[in-house]
Amino acid sequence: MIKSNFSKEPNKISRFIDKHEIENIEDLNNYKKKKLEKIKEKADDILWEVESYKEEGAEGLSDDERGRIDQYILQLKKIMENINSKLNIEDEEKDNSSENFNEKLRELGENTDGFQELSGGQQSLVLENFKQLFLSNIKEGAQKNYKQELGESKFLGKILKGILKNYKIADLEKKEAKESFKLESETDKQIMEKLVQGMEAYGPEVKLGENGEIEIQYAGEWKNLNEEEQKTVDNFNKVATKYSHLSYEWSLDTSTKKQAKQFEAIKNEYEDAKGEIINLKKEKSIKKLEEKEEDALLYINKIDGQIQMNQFLNNNPEVEKELSNIKDQKIWKKALTGVIRERGIYTAAGFITRSVTTAAIGAIAVPLAAAGIGGWRANVRAREGLKQNDINARHGQKDNSAQAKNVVDLGERSVQYRDNKNDADIVTVRKGLIGKIDKLINDIENARGAKKKELLDKLDIRLKYTQGKIDDGLVNFGKKEDKLNNQYLLIHKLSDVHILLQTNNFTERTFKNGKSIGSELEKLLNLKTRNISEERKKHIIKKTLIGAGISAGFASAGYLIRHFMGGHGLFDKSEVKDEISEVQKIVEETKGSSITEEAKIDSTEAIKKTGIFSTIKKNYEESDLNNEGSAPEVSEETVEVDATGDSLKAEQLKIDPATGAVLKYDAHGNLLSSSEIDSAGVDLEEFEADGVTPIVTPEITAATELGISENISNNEEVTPDTMAKLLALKGRSDGNVDDILENNDSCAVIEKGEGVSQALGEFEDSNMQATVINPDGTRIEGDINLAHTGDTVIQKDGEIYIFKTSGVEVSKDDSLANAWIKVTEEKLGRELTSEEIDQFDGEDGKLEWNEAKALHDKLTSEKPEVVVENTPSVEDQAALEEKIQDLQTNQEEHVIPDKPSAEDLDTSMEAEVDTSDDLADTEHVVPDKPSAEDLDTSMEAEVDTSDDLADTENMTAGKPDAEDLEESMNAGVDQSKIYEQFFNNENASAMSKLNNETSGDVIIRLGRPIEMKSSDGFFVKVDGFRFTGEDNTGRHFEYFKVGKNDPSEEVIFKLTENDSGNGINNIEIKGYDDIDNTEHVIPDKPDTEDLEASMEAGVENLNQGDTNSQLTNSDYSNVILKAEVNNDLEALGKELKLDVDGAEVEIDHLRLVSKAGAKENGEITKHFIARDIDGKEYSLTTKEHWRQEPAWDDSDKSSYVNDGVIKYDVKEIVNDKGN
Amino acid sequence: MNKNKRQIDQTLNKIDREYNLTMAKLNKVHQDFFNFIKEHREVKDKERLNKLRKDILNK
């Protein structure tokens, strides 16, 4: 007999303190405090719900109704006041007022070393940046808390929490915010320190404008400027700040005309200002004469890079948008929104944190840049010396001699042709070098397939041509004042082209280990373990690559500038120097380059990304990129190029994930620089002894204990042994190890509803062998069916290891049954009885998969037992009722039936512990006494009616809302349906939510497997499916699941836009055939109703009296469902089995051929052709009985209910082939 | 010792009872509130449906 040994979540009450462990007053006080807090939490929740409803949820509330809501609020507030007075809580609102927050923030800044030395503008920038980080930290924390809470909930709780997720997260944010607003934590101090340090080290000078707006001094510091020159610098700063605020998207074809126009105007302004400043820089450069141009070009390349990256990042969610997503705005409005309104400075404020992100993207860009440079080198040819004429031509004096006709123009030029045929002169504009390149690039972006390839080849030729022209000195860069800027433009354009060519290669190219850059990025950006769709992943990877491309463009441009200028003035050198020594020179020159300074600044997000640096580097080294193609064999692999074109040795620099500091290592991995060690190599015990929470990442804590590398989360060297060590530490109170297990790139934690296949993101055969490591360290050889939700899987060298991080211990023999017991228990939300467990054991000790599943289905189709958390025991309820009655009859008498005998208690104990009867004082506000029955329902309300809350008002007109639906279906149906309806109910509400919610997740529980129609008209079982679509305002949602198709599946629609939408259109549902993974698409684009209908198994939606009509998906569902209900056809989950002459045949495809009869007539006959897994076909006839039901509302319309398939007849079709 | 334990138990009972009572009150308010919403929604739904029906009939 197998015993279920699954760990049970303790219920919430027992999670307080175990009563038996209470030994002294302190414990008692803690116990009481926790209880009070629990009540407060609940009261908070309810109050929030009520207030929300009053504020936004209800349309057209009458004064009377508002009065009633106010009454509820009053009641709740009274209860809360009471609790607060007991908890001695001061008015937190006071603490959180905006003045208070800003005061505290400034105080925090002023107490930080170095803050006072910053300029006023820089100080403001630091404080603004702090606020940004602060907000994102809160959001992050709230998400984490939510997940924790979800993990602790029982089954039903999970569903409800899923529905209420949006509300909940907002709520948690509020709580999180309350805590954090004190700005007292060590984390706050450290972040502030980092920001100040960053500003000191990197610090763009910042000026405050008249209205307090921040203007970044992009142009940097200048000395000895006259008035005119100062104007040039000021103008550049102003225009550059303005330009940097534009969105990158506006520069693309996808922008609107207005955007493009605006972008163009500001861009031109910027180009002009840039032209001026680049000349000024050259003039003022303190470098040697021959290096002045190089200095100026590098200078502008860096600034340009920063600005363009800023533009690119502008597309990320803005802070203000984030703020508007927090439901309870009271606190935020007071503390932050005011600040925003005072000064609209958010984009500028993001500058510093962004520079870190920029550095991170720069790191991703490294292989691209290196490849680009490699391409460049391949094309470089040693050139002969230039002739004087050529040099003249390049300086704006057009030489018309025949010898010089090959000089090409950089910019546009009017050209006059003689048209002899028509005897006329034609004047046309000829595109210059840049124009031609631009046109090609533009064409490439719009092209596909072979055409694209052709264009890319053309671009490659054009690139070589232009390079040749430059090397030959045959480019006309225009007049002196434009020359330098034009040179920059061309170099940059060439650099872009290299990157473009390389990127296009990249997307198809794979590394030597068989992984594509896409899959690598997916891993690095931690996309694998997250529950997001393939589409979304692709989108993220695409965007990252675009960013990396931009960054790489600047990186290689920086390189090219150095390469070309080489201290000799542009293109004047007669031969290319020894490339290897040149590269090395650059590396030496730029040791400790600006990236190290920039990267010192802390930014949680960016730091995580920067960890990829070494990984990409490694992959690059392993890849075929660095020595393929015609690139000469140079030691490029030793060159890393940062976002601004500066080079550095990657193996010597490592970004500390904890602090963002750049640590220097020598070639043997010894730490060289010591300035940042303190924060990385913290003495944990010392910190903890002081009661201070150290700002140390989980990786470091665990790594310290395990003696393994601290950046384990980005380390592919996680071996089964390391995992075993980690597991030994799992469950530690700080949760760090669990974090590692969950966040490690090379392993995945199985989430609810997933299997090993999904977790690993690869298809795995369900019989695939796996090594299973139990919590106690024992290993068994089993198959991947031994995995449970919460387990950690890693795949190494083709082998699968399953670590039972779920805590479920398995042995080889009991695996299947145990798995099913667990699933069943989860679904039922209760423990199985021993009799039920015995059933899973089977007669001979082992059930086959299908048998176990059938048993599971049978058990779960019974009415679920609603488990209500916090339900008082029967005794408690009785006592409660007694108490209530007591209070009602005699309000003065505050005597609790069984006296607490306070007098017996020690007086000091009394003073601290004694709970007066204040709690009871509010009794009079409760209108009528809550009887035990009331209690029951009110408790249930916690579970059931939340549905109503989520069920928004705007259900499609004329459609029954979830509740009505339930009523109509409840009439005369058997109990087995109710469970189904529970989900339908939820679906209706979720669909409604999908229609009305603006962001976040909407969860729909399928309630049954999805079947789809294949192109040959058959319905097929699908093993995975994908929903994508958008509503009519362009809001996107998607869901994707492969390898799983079971009724408990949740479809989570991720709404990605924040626009309010009405109505879903353009939904595409694709299914994947479980036999050969063929894609099937639901033929017609279903609108909301179709989708809803297709999900509401059991809801009647056949067309009345419609014979031989085109069938919808729901027709099929009807057959299957009815078959299940009536047990006439044996349908096991997604498997339909037919009884053919006593033999059981598994049907894989099903096609409806004809339909006769009508609901009104009480009978519908359907004729199907069924196909089994071997391809044999059967003729199947079913007969359904229908009866009339009264209307669900007070209208006259009645509805029809299907009583199920009452009869079916099946025959094998023998065709010519002899099947 | 035993006496002490008994005192603790009694206090615990008192705390629990108060907790349950207050929770019950909260649940009651919650329930009332939901009943109110339900009622409110039903009225609105009916109004809307009637209007819709009228609209259709008028067409």
Side-chain angles (χ1 to χ4, degrees):
Chain A
M1 141 89 203
I2 301 154
K3 197 177 174 303
S4 167
N5 55 357
F6 305 109
S7 60
K8 290 287 151 204
E9 294 290 349
N11 75 34
K12 282 190 179 176
I13 293 177
S14 66
R15 254 196 295 124
F16 290 141
I17 290 176
D18 192 341
K19 279 189 195 178
H20 304 289
E21 286 172 12
I22 293 178
E23 286 173 349
N24 52 38
I25 298 166
E26 203 185 328
D27 290 348
L28 213 46
N29 272 326
N30 275 338
Y31 182 78
K32 184 184 166 192
K33 191 163 166 250
K34 292 218 164 150
K35 287 241 159 184
L36 284 169
E37 275 168 357
K38 182 83 198 157
I39 295 172
K40 191 171 166 328
E41 200 179 307
K42 170 134 185 154
D44 249 336
D45 282 351
I46 300 175
L47 185 64
W48 177 75
E49 275 171 27
V50 178
E51 281 181 339
S52 301
Y53 192 79
K54 190 185 167 195
E55 277 170 27
E56 53 194 65
E59 54 182 51
L61 282 170
S62 68
D63 288 347
D64 187 33
E65 286 161 339
R66 281 184 190 282
R68 271 178 75 184
I69 293 183
D70 286 340
Q71 190 66 29
Y72 298 133
I73 294 174
L74 197 72
Q75 290 171 7
L76 288 164
K77 283 199 167 155
K78 278 225 164 180
I79 297 176
M80 281 173 78
E81 256 173 41
N82 224 316
I83 304 164
N84 279 344
S85 72
K86 283 182 201 290
L87 277 169
N88 254 339
I89 287 177
E90 291 159 31
D91 186 9
E92 282 188 46
E93 292 282 312
K94 201 175 132 201
D95 270 357
N96 295 333
S97 68
S98 68
E99 301 92 86
N100 225 310
F101 180 77
N102 283 332
E103 235 170 63
K104 276 182 183 160
L105 182 58
R106 185 150 273 280
E107 207 177 291
L108 179 67
E110 280 166 1
N111 288 333
T112 307
D113 289 343
F115 185 82
Q116 303 282 17
E117 282 78 48
L118 299 174
S119 73
Q122 287 179 323
Q123 288 183 356
S124 297
L125 192 47
V126 164
L127 297 184
E128 286 308 324
N129 274 305
F130 184 90
K131 277 182 199 163
Q132 268 202 337
L133 287 174
F134 181 74
L135 175 67
S136 65
N137 284 345
I138 284 175
K139 281 203 89 82
E140 228 167 65
Q143 286 275 359
K144 210 172 165 185
N145 283 352
Y146 169 76
K147 276 188 187 152
Q148 263 171 17
E149 200 174 279
L150 196 65
E152 286 164 8
S153 309
K154 285 200 169 185
F155 179 64
L156 285 172
K158 278 183 187 174
I159 296 169
L160 287 166
K161 280 188 177 130
I163 292 168
L164 292 172
K165 187 175 174 188
N166 287 332
Y167 297 103
K168 273 286 172 193
I169 285 187
D171 196 28
L172 283 165
E173 268 165 23
K174 190 178 69 183
K175 281 172 196 159
E176 186 91 6
K178 274 182 192 168
E179 274 307 300
S180 312
F181 261 86
K182 292 171 186 163
L183 292 183
E184 283 165 356
S185 79
E186 196 60 24
T187 315
D188 292 331
K189 280 182 201 161
Q190 295 212 14
I191 288 174
M192 184 60 90
E193 269 171 30
K194 287 286 154 200
L195 284 174
V196 172
Q197 281 167 14
M199 184 59 83
E200 274 176 340
Y202 173 67
E205 187 45 52
V206 178
K207 256 190 187 169
L208 284 183
E210 283 171 15
N211 302 319
E213 74 271 13
I214 283 178
E215 190 182 287
I216 310 258
Q217 304 297 292
Y218 279 105
E221 275 186 52
W222 294 77
K223 278 171 192 162
N224 308 324
L225 293 181
N226 64 31
E227 205 180 310
E228 188 64 24
E229 290 163 345
Q230 186 61 51
K231 244 187 188 169
T232 306
V233 172
D234 287 348
N235 182 51
F236 178 78
N237 282 329
K238 206 178 108 204
V239 175
T241 305
K242 195 159 74 175
Y243 184 56
S244 76
H245 288 188
L246 292 181
S247 163
Y248 166 76
E249 304 287 310
W250 288 16
S251 69
L252 304 178
D253 280 355
T254 47
S255 62
T256 66
K257 271 190 182 167
K258 197 180 157 193
Q259 287 168 345
K261 216 171 151 189
Q262 205 180 337
F263 189 88
E264 202 54 32
I266 296 175
K267 189 182 175 221
N268 286 340
E269 218 180 314
Y270 170 71
E271 289 296 336
D272 289 347
K274 204 170 78 182
E276 286 175 20
I277 200 116
I278 197 170
N279 285 325
L280 187 65
K281 183 72 189 177
K282 182 190 163 193
E283 211 177 291
K284 295 279 170 186
S285 172
I286 50 163
K287 299 257 171 153
K288 280 182 278 179
L289 187 66
E290 64 268 24
E291 289 173 2
K292 278 180 188 292
E293 286 193 347
E294 179 187 344
D295 193 30
L297 289 178
L298 287 174
Y299 164 82
I300 205 69
N301 187 48
K302 185 168 176 171
I303 296 172
D304 212 18
Q306 286 173 348
I307 290 172
Q308 286 202 24
M309 279 318 293
N310 206 43
Q311 284 179 353
F312 176 72
L313 295 167
N314 278 347
N315 294 336
N316 291 348
E318 285 166 34
V319 172
E320 237 167 314
K321 210 171 179 182
E322 292 286 279
L323 283 174
S324 67
N325 280 341
I326 297 180
K327 288 269 181 188
D328 187 332
Q329 295 207 350
K330 267 184 244 158
I331 300 165
W332 286 107
K333 265 186 191 155
K334 276 184 189 166
L336 287 178
T337 325
V339 185
I340 298 166
R341 283 192 189 130
E342 279 160 33
R343 316 180 233 146
I345 50 176
Y346 268 85
T347 327
F351 186 83
I352 287 197
T353 47
R354 272 194 185 170
S355 66
V356 185
T357 319
T358 307
I361 286 193
I364 304 175
V366 164
L368 284 176
I373 291 167
W376 171 267
R377 286 170 168 282
N379 292 336
V380 166
R381 299 280 181 274
R383 298 284 161 182
E384 291 191 23
L386 304 173
K387 289 174 184 164
Q388 190 57 40
N389 277 354
D390 301 322
I391 294 171
N392 286 344
R394 276 182 287 116
H395 287 265
Q397 300 163 21
K398 191 78 184 174
D399 185 337
N400 290 322
S401 72
Q403 186 198 15
K405 67 184 177 213
N406 279 336
V407 170
V408 290
D409 290 292
L410 182 79
E412 289 181 350
R413 186 163 62 96
S414 291
V415 186
Q416 198 174 335
Y417 291 104
R418 182 70 195 164
D419 184 349
N420 291 329
K421 219 183 201 173
N422 299 315
D423 193 24
D425 284 343
I426 298 167
V427 179
T428 174
V429 177
R430 180 187 274 178
K431 283 194 160 71
L433 282 178
I434 291 185
K436 284 172 182 163
I437 293 173
D438 275 344
K439 187 175 180 306
L440 268 173
I441 292 179
N442 198 30
D443 289 350
I444 286 169
E445 273 163 11
N446 296 324
R448 295 274 173 281
K451 178 77 185 159
K452 186 169 183 174
K453 203 172 173 308
E454 186 192 321
L455 286 168
L456 280 168
D457 287 344
K458 265 192 187 170
L459 185 67
D460 195 28
I461 294 165
R462 157 87 28 209
L463 178 75
K464 284 179 179 141
Y465 168 82
T466 312
Q467 254 176 251
K469 283 285 171 197
I470 296 172
D471 283 342
D472 288 341
L474 292 172
V475 179
N476 177 14
F477 284 107
K479 290 176 191 153
K480 189 190 169 212
E481 59 269 27
D482 299 332
K483 196 190 101 187
L484 212 48
N485 197 24
N486 282 342
Q487 284 173 350
Y488 173 72
L489 284 176
L490 184 60
I491 288 182
H492 202 268
K493 191 55 72 184
L494 288 184
S495 167
D496 280 349
V497 169
H498 278 296
I499 301 306
L500 179 75
L501 289 172
Q502 293 303 329
T503 315
N504 272 288
N505 262 342
F506 245 73
T507 44
E508 289 141 28
R509 203 192 280 249
T510 51
F511 290 109
K512 265 186 182 160
N513 58 10
K515 287 175 178 165
S516 69
I517 187 149
S519 77
E520 285 300 280
L521 266 179
E522 195 177 329
K523 222 163 101 183
L524 294 166
L525 299 177
N526 196 20
L527 298 177
K528 279 212 165 143
T529 52
R530 280 152 55 193
N531 187 14
I532 49 180
S533 75
E534 288 301 308
E535 294 289 324
R536 178 94 194 127
K537 281 179 189 167
K538 273 187 193 158
H539 178 78
I540 294 171
I541 288 167
K542 196 176 144 203
K543 287 277 165 186
T544 313
L545 270 178
I546 290 174
I550 294 171
S551 184
F554 284 95
S556 70
Y559 174 80
L560 295 186
I561 290 166
R562 285 168 195 282
H563 179 84
F564 271 119
M565 309 300 283
H568 297 285
L570 187 69
F571 314 124
D572 281 350
K573 59 187 171 166
S574 54
E575 58 185 69
V576 177
K577 283 187 133 202
D578 173 24
E579 284 158 352
I580 299 174
S581 65
E582 206 173 327
V583 169
Q584 280 168 348
K585 194 177 137 210
I586 294 165
V587 174
E588 281 162 24
E589 268 174 15
T590 52
K591 254 183 193 167
S593 58
S594 64
I595 189 174
T596 58
E597 298 300 319
E598 287 167 30
K600 274 183 186 165
I601 309 144
D602 196 352
S603 162
T604 347
E605 187 57 28
I607 298 314
K608 275 180 199 153
K609 287 184 186 161
T610 39
I612 66 179
F613 192 92
S614 53
T615 317
I616 286 219
K617 163 96 170 48
K618 190 162 177 284
N619 283 330
Y620 170 63
E621 281 171 349
E622 285 171 0
S623 77
D624 51 3
L625 279 173
N626 63 343
N627 52 16
E628 206 191 59
S630 48
E633 288 286 325
V634 290
S635 58
E636 268 162 20
E637 52 271 47
T638 62
V639 183
E640 293 296 341
V641 191
D642 76 10
T644 60
D646 294 330
S647 311
L648 47 99
K649 277 188 174 173
E651 64 269 31
Q652 294 189 341
L653 298 175
K654 220 171 186 183
I655 294 175
D656 180 353
T659 63
V662 173
L663 304 177
K664 281 189 186 171
Y665 293 84
D666 67 14
H668 306 291
N670 301 317
L671 193 63
L672 294 177
S673 80
S674 58
S675 59
E676 298 295 334
I677 293 181
D678 287 351
S679 47
V682 279
D683 184 343
L684 296 173
E685 281 178 16
E686 195 184 305
F687 260 111
E688 276 155 9
D690 289 342
V692 182
T693 318
I695 179 171
V696 178
T697 57
E699 295 86 60
I700 288 189
T701 320
T704 313
E705 288 188 24
L706 292 176
I708 50 179
S709 159
E710 69 269 26
N711 55 354
I712 189 168
S713 67
N714 293 312
N715 184 339
E716 55 277 13
E717 289 307 310
V718 176
T719 62
D721 281 345
T722 321
M723 286 295 298
K725 279 188 195 170
L726 286 171
L727 282 173
L729 294 173
K730 188 179 151 56
R732 284 163 25 133
S733 55
D734 57 11
N736 289 343
V737 177
D738 306 48
D739 275 358
I740 291 186
L741 294 174
E742 276 167 34
N743 296 327
N744 198 293
D745 287 332
S746 65
C747 61
V749 176
I750 300 177
E751 289 183 11
K752 186 169 157 47
E754 277 188 347
V756 171
S757 293
Q758 287 89 345
L760 292 173
E762 288 167 33
F763 287 101
E764 304 292 357
D765 179 10
S766 66
N767 293 321
M768 178 110 179
Q769 292 301 297
T771 307
V772 184
I773 295 102
N774 271 323
D776 63 0
T778 55
R779 294 186 181 209
I780 54 167
E781 298 300 322
D783 60 43
I784 60 174
N785 291 320
L786 293 174
H788 294 90
T789 304
D791 281 352
T792 309
V793 286
I794 67 174
Q795 193 169 23
K796 199 151 179 74
D797 305 328
E799 282 198 21
I800 293 178
Y801 297 85
I802 299 169
F803 296 92
K804 303 303 295 176
T805 41
S806 60
V808 181
E809 199 170 303
V810 293
S811 68
K812 198 172 178 179
D813 291 326
D814 66 6
S815 60
L816 185 65
N818 245 358
W820 278 109
I821 290 169
K822 165 112 177 156
V823 170
T824 313
E825 285 186 339
E826 224 173 66
K827 193 158 179 180
L828 290 174
R830 64 176 174 85
E831 277 182 59
L832 292 183
T833 64
S834 56
E835 287 85 344
E836 284 166 334
I837 290 171
D838 281 345
Q839 288 181 51
F840 273 102
D841 255 343
E843 279 173 9
D844 54 358
K846 200 170 180 192
L847 281 184
E848 288 300 314
W849 181 267
N850 287 344
E851 293 170 333
K853 185 163 176 14
L855 189 53
H856 159 266
D857 289 353
K858 183 174 161 257
L859 287 168
T860 50
S861 64
E862 286 162 19
K863 191 184 177 184
E865 199 176 292
V866 178
V867 179
V868 182
E869 289 161 352
N870 298 335
T871 312
S873 66
V874 180
E875 292 85 347
D876 280 347
Q877 284 188 24
L880 218 53
E881 195 180 350
E882 196 185 319
K883 163 79 177 157
I884 292 159
Q885 265 178 346
D886 206 36
L887 281 161
Q888 286 227 323
T889 48
N890 189 356
Q891 291 207 4
E892 282 81 24
E893 194 192 313
H894 289 187
V895 180
I896 295 172
D898 53 344
K899 268 187 173 180
S901 60
E903 62 275 11
D904 289 349
L905 287 167
D906 180 282
T907 36
S908 71
M909 185 169 167
E910 170 74 12
E912 278 188 82
V913 177
D914 178 46
T915 54
S916 66
D917 291 327
D918 293 354
L919 275 175
D921 290 347
T922 51
E923 187 56 36
H924 61 280
V925 299
V926 181
D928 47 19
K929 87 182 169 115
S931 67
E933 200 181 357
D934 278 342
L935 272 178
D936 242 345
T937 45
S938 72
M939 293 290 183
E940 262 167 21
E942 267 188 286
V943 176
D944 283 333
T945 45
S946 308
D947 239 353
D948 290 2
L949 193 70
D951 177 12
T952 44
E953 275 301 307
N954 310 334
M955 290 288 291
T956 322
K959 234 174 143 41
D961 74 8
E963 203 181 346
D964 294 326
L965 208 56
E966 189 177 10
E967 274 172 24
S968 78
M969 292 189 308
N970 268 341
V973 293
D974 60 37
Q975 278 199 344
S976 62
K977 267 181 155 184
I978 292 170
Y979 196 53
E980 202 68 50
Q981 283 159 11
F982 178 79
F983 293 123
N984 295 333
N985 199 354
E986 184 186 325
N987 283 346
S989 120
M991 284 310 299
S992 156
K993 203 170 149 123
L994 190 58
N995 265 340
N996 297 295
E997 262 315 289
T998 54
S999 66
D1001 297 345
V1002 174
I1003 300 181
I1004 293 176
R1005 197 167 282 263
L1006 295 181
R1008 65 173 186 82
I1010 288 190
E1011 284 86 19
M1012 288 197 177
K1013 201 172 189 179
S1014 67
S1015 52
D1016 61 359
F1018 278 101
F1019 279 97
V1020 295
K1021 298 185 291 182
V1022 290
D1023 192 34
F1025 47 88
R1026 179 209 299 268
F1027 292 80
T1028 51
E1030 59 184 34
D1031 69 10
N1032 50 22
T1033 62
R1035 188 176 50 151
H1036 290 272
F1037 49 85
E1038 53 191 1
Y1039 183 73
F1040 183 46
K1041 204 90 187 167
V1042 165
K1044 190 94 176 176
N1045 189 355
D1046 76 42
S1048 61
E1049 198 74 322
E1050 282 175 355
V1051 173
I1052 304 168
F1053 287 99
K1054 304 247 178 221
L1055 303 181
T1056 51
E1057 286 289 325
N1058 204 18
D1059 300 317
S1060 64
N1062 289 303
I1064 306 298
N1065 56 30
N1066 209 16
I1067 287 184
E1068 185 179 73
I1069 306 176
K1070 271 186 190 167
Y1072 298 85
D1073 204 323
D1074 60 349
I1075 306 285
D1076 52 9
N1077 289 322
T1078 319
E1079 274 189 12
H1080 298 287
V1081 182
I1082 287 193
D1084 52 342
K1085 282 181 188 171
D1087 59 15
T1088 316
E1089 283 181 34
D1090 282 352
L1091 184 67
E1092 205 170 332
S1094 79
M1095 289 186 175
E1096 287 168 5
V1099 179
E1100 178 44 44
N1101 47 22
L1102 276 176
N1103 296 331
Q1104 294 182 20
D1106 187 7
T1107 46
N1108 295 324
S1109 67
Q1110 169 84 21
L1111 286 174
T1112 64
N1113 223 17
S1114 47
D1115 290 80
Y1116 179 58
S1117 74
N1118 206 34
V1119 172
I1120 298 300
L1121 183 88
K1122 297 311 162 192
E1124 281 175 341
V1125 168
N1126 288 275
N1127 223 8
D1128 277 335
L1129 304 172
E1130 190 184 353
L1132 301 170
K1134 63 177 181 176
E1135 280 153 16
L1136 173 65
K1137 292 191 178 176
L1138 294 179
D1139 183 348
V1140 184
D1141 297 334
E1144 198 174 68
V1145 175
E1146 189 180 334
I1147 296 302
D1148 188 55
H1149 289 54
L1150 192 67
R1151 179 170 68 194
L1152 184 76
V1153 181
S1154 64
K1155 195 164 84 171
K1159 292 176 201 175
E1160 288 86 342
N1161 304 336
E1163 200 174 82
I1164 295 178
T1165 309
K1166 288 177 185 165
H1167 180 219
F1168 296 89
I1169 292 182
R1171 194 190 277 165
D1172 73 8
I1173 46 175
D1174 300 323
K1176 273 189 201 169
E1177 290 189 348
Y1178 304 88
S1179 151
L1180 169 69
T1181 312
T1182 61
K1183 215 172 248 184
E1184 298 163 10
H1185 267 207
W1186 292 80
R1187 62 187 157 81
Q1188 207 169 0
E1189 277 286 323
W1192 54 271
D1193 59 4
D1194 53 3
S1195 70
D1196 299 325
K1197 280 190 178 177
S1198 55
S1199 59
Y1200 289 89
V1201 174
N1202 185 351
D1203 270 341
V1205 177
I1206 51 158
K1207 192 185 165 195
Y1208 84 86
D1209 184 26
V1210 61
K1211 270 180 211 138
E1212 188 179 342
I1213 301 171
V1214 180
N1215 62 23
D1216 294 338
K1217 288 173 193 165
N1219 277 342
Chain B
M1 186 71 189
N2 276 343
K3 190 185 170 196
N4 205 6
K5 181 75 188 149
R6 210 179 58 237
Q7 285 173 344
I8 286 176
D9 283 348
Q10 282 172 343
T11 317
L12 269 176
N13 281 339
K14 186 180 163 190
I15 292 170
D16 282 352
R17 270 197 309 276
E18 280 193 286
Y19 171 82
N20 289 336
L21 177 67
T22 316
M23 269 300 183
K25 279 185 200 169
L26 282 171
N27 284 331
K28 181 72 180 73
V29 179
H30 207 183
Q31 177 67 39
D32 288 349
F33 170 63
F34 273 122
N35 287 341
F36 164 75
I37 293 180
K38 211 170 134 186
E39 195 183 299
H40 178 244
R41 194 167 287 160
E42 272 166 8
V43 171
K44 291 287 160 198
D45 277 351
K46 267 196 184 146
E47 278 173 11
R48 200 168 47 228
L49 283 167
N50 282 333
K51 189 175 171 295
L52 203 72
R53 205 175 291 128
K54 266 181 204 162
D55 285 351
I56 293 167
L57 284 173
N58 290 339
K59 269 182 191 172

